[in-house]
Amino acid sequence: MKKSILILIFAGILACVSCEDNRPDVPQFSVTVDTGNAVGFDDAGTPVFKKGSSVKFMFDGQADMITFYSGEPGMMYQHKDRTKLQGFPFMQFNTQMENGNMPPGFLSVLLSSDFAGFTKDRETDVRNISDATWTDVTEQCNIPLTQTTQLSPRIDLSAYAGKPLYVAFRYNRPANTDFPRYQIKNFRIQNEADGTAYEIMTTRNAGWTAFDFNAPANTDPYASTGGGTANRIWDLRNATSDDRIAIGYNSQINNNDWAITAAIDLTSVSPDLGQGIKAYNDDRLKEYRYIFNTAGTFTVSFLTTNSRYSETKTSLKEVTITVEE
């Protein structure tokens, strides 16, 4: 009996030692910049490279995994957990007029922060749209009246920061036999900060919902296929594939058609992402090259990770470079 107990104790000690052996160590890793193709050094001793040249980073040590952050906008380690950003939010898009001319006043661009959203109940959504406070910014949008494509200026949305914002395009035209059509292209909501315009929403992910106030009783007021001569409606079918929505052509009934985005958070921003340059099973990495196509001073980060089962140890190494035109 005593012998069995000793065996169990010895086995337990071995198991503990084995566990200790399987715990990862903090990566022992260092990074230097190869200055062989640098054009010089600034007053702080930072190496300077020409834009478009390849910068080589030399590694000493070993890590199971390495993630690279170039220090450029969208790829900064310091912003890897950032989801909110205070900046200058704005809207911009192209409007194309095709197949003829269109008098002013038929296409409106409207903003609201108190629209209650869609319920997909016809009567409720008539009330929700009608009861909302809509600010008309059409005059700022450079809408063409002849067959051409015009880019709007940056439309300031700062007044809506911290509120849910809805953008609506309203087509309000009497019955007609003409064939001009509007196309809204390259719709963008962005937030500019630190000299970079961060994308919040595009035509492709705007979550458009169409609503036709004048849809006959036996038809779907949310249809978004463009309609036909009997009734023209918004065509949202190319929003994702071709970055555009459209409405127009001849119609036998009056148009009062809306295309409204999903709610927009103007302070929202996607966290910056790193690029994995070494996976767990890859061979040891001794160097990495990267081409900087933007001028500036960049803090380049390498997040190294050692992993054993569910436990990880990390270490961050950073170097600074300058890139000039």
Side-chain angles (χ1 to χ4, degrees), residues 305-322:
T305 303
N306 282 342
S307 176
R308 298 292 184 276
Y309 303 105
S310 61
E311 188 174 355
T312 61
K313 297 288 187 180
T314 62
S315 177
L316 181 68
K317 302 300 179 183
E318 294 183 319
V319 293
T320 303
I321 69 164
T322 295

Side-chain angles (χ1 to χ4, degrees), residues 134-264:
W134 294 99
T135 300
D136 192 329
V137 294
T138 309
E139 290 189 359
Q140 302 178 48
C141 295
N142 198 26
I143 305 295
L145 304 177
T146 59
Q147 296 185 61
T148 187
T149 300
Q150 296 181 173
L151 176 65
S152 73
R154 291 183 171 191
I155 298 162
D156 186 359
L157 302 176
S158 299
Y160 296 89
K163 308 173 186 177
L165 170 66
Y166 294 86
V167 178
F169 289 87
R170 182 191 184 195
Y171 184 66
N172 187 31
R173 191 182 185 203
N176 66 91
T177 57
D178 299 328
F179 287 89
R181 180 174 76 150
Y182 287 113
Q183 293 203 67
I184 309 301
K185 299 181 174 182
N186 308 314
F187 174 80
R188 298 290 183 271
I189 304 289
Q190 296 178 296
N191 193 4
E192 187 173 63
D194 305 321
T196 300
Y198 294 91
E199 198 166 86
I200 299 173
M201 179 178 281
T202 74
T203 320
R204 293 184 166 92
N205 64 5
W208 300 102
T209 300
F211 190 81
D212 180 4
F213 272 80
N214 295 338
N218 61 342
T219 63
D220 180 7
Y222 305 96
S224 56
T225 58
T229 303
N231 181 27
R232 296 296 180 181
I233 58 178
W234 279 99
D235 188 344
L236 306 180
R237 293 173 295 178
N238 296 301
T240 300
S241 62
D242 206 25
D243 207 1
R244 62 186 174 90
I245 62 176
I247 193 167
Y249 298 144
N250 57 328
S251 179
Q252 293 175 3
I253 69 173
N254 295 342
N255 289 109
N256 185 8
D257 290 86
W258 296 62
I260 305 178
T261 67
I264 308 164

Side-chain angles (χ1 to χ4, degrees), residues 5-239:
I5 294 173
L6 289 174
I7 290 172
L8 288 173
I9 293 173
F10 184 67
I13 293 171
L14 286 177
C16 290
V17 171
S18 177
C19 289
E20 290 292 335
D21 290 344
N22 283 324
R23 288 178 177 172
D25 296 322
V26 174
Q28 300 300 308
F29 189 85
S30 62
V31 181
T32 56
V33 181
D34 185 339
T35 59
N37 66 336
V39 296
F41 297 85
D42 64 15
D43 292 341
T46 303
V48 180
F49 298 86
K50 280 289 186 183
K51 184 173 75 172
S53 63
S54 176
V55 180
K56 183 166 70 171
F57 302 95
M58 307 295 294
F59 304 146
D60 185 24
Q62 169 70 327
D64 292 339
M65 293 165 281
I66 306 173
T67 304
F68 168 73
Y69 295 83
S70 69
E72 299 165 293
M75 211 174 176
M76 297 183 185
Y77 176 81
Q78 69 200 70
H79 294 158
K80 70 181 181 65
D81 298 317
R82 183 180 65 176
T83 58
K84 295 291 183 180
L85 176 65
Q86 299 298 325
F88 169 69
F90 65 91
M91 173 174 66
Q92 194 167 35
F93 57 90
N94 290 101
T95 308
Q96 180 181 359
M97 169 69 67
E98 56 182 1
N99 301 322
N101 301 332
M102 188 89 80
F106 293 149
L107 181 68
S108 301
V109 185
L110 308 166
L111 308 176
S112 178
S113 61
D114 63 4
F115 173 53
F118 284 101
T119 66
K120 291 304 178 78
D121 175 78
R122 183 173 188 153
E123 292 184 4
T124 301
D125 289 337
V126 165
R127 289 195 302 271
N128 285 351
I129 296 173
S130 301
D131 291 347
T133 303
W134 294 99
T135 300
D136 192 329
V137 294
T138 309
E139 290 189 359
Q140 302 178 48
C141 295
N142 198 26
I143 305 295
L145 304 177
T146 59
Q147 296 185 61
T148 187
T149 300
Q150 296 181 173
L151 176 65
S152 73
R154 291 183 171 191
I155 298 162
D156 186 359
L157 302 176
S158 299
Y160 296 89
K163 308 173 186 177
L165 170 66
Y166 294 86
V167 178
F169 289 87
R170 182 191 184 195
Y171 184 66
N172 187 31
R173 191 182 185 203
N176 66 91
T177 57
D178 299 328
F179 287 89
R181 180 174 76 150
Y182 287 113
Q183 293 203 67
I184 309 301
K185 299 181 174 182
N186 308 314
F187 174 80
R188 298 290 183 271
I189 304 289
Q190 296 178 296
N191 193 4
E192 187 173 63
D194 305 321
T196 300
Y198 294 91
E199 198 166 86
I200 299 173
M201 179 178 281
T202 74
T203 320
R204 293 184 166 92
N205 64 5
W208 300 102
T209 300
F211 190 81
D212 180 4
F213 272 80
N214 295 338
N218 61 342
T219 63
D220 180 7
Y222 305 96
S224 56
T225 58
T229 303
N231 181 27
R232 296 296 180 181
I233 58 178
W234 279 99
D235 188 344
L236 306 180
R237 293 173 295 178
N238 296 301

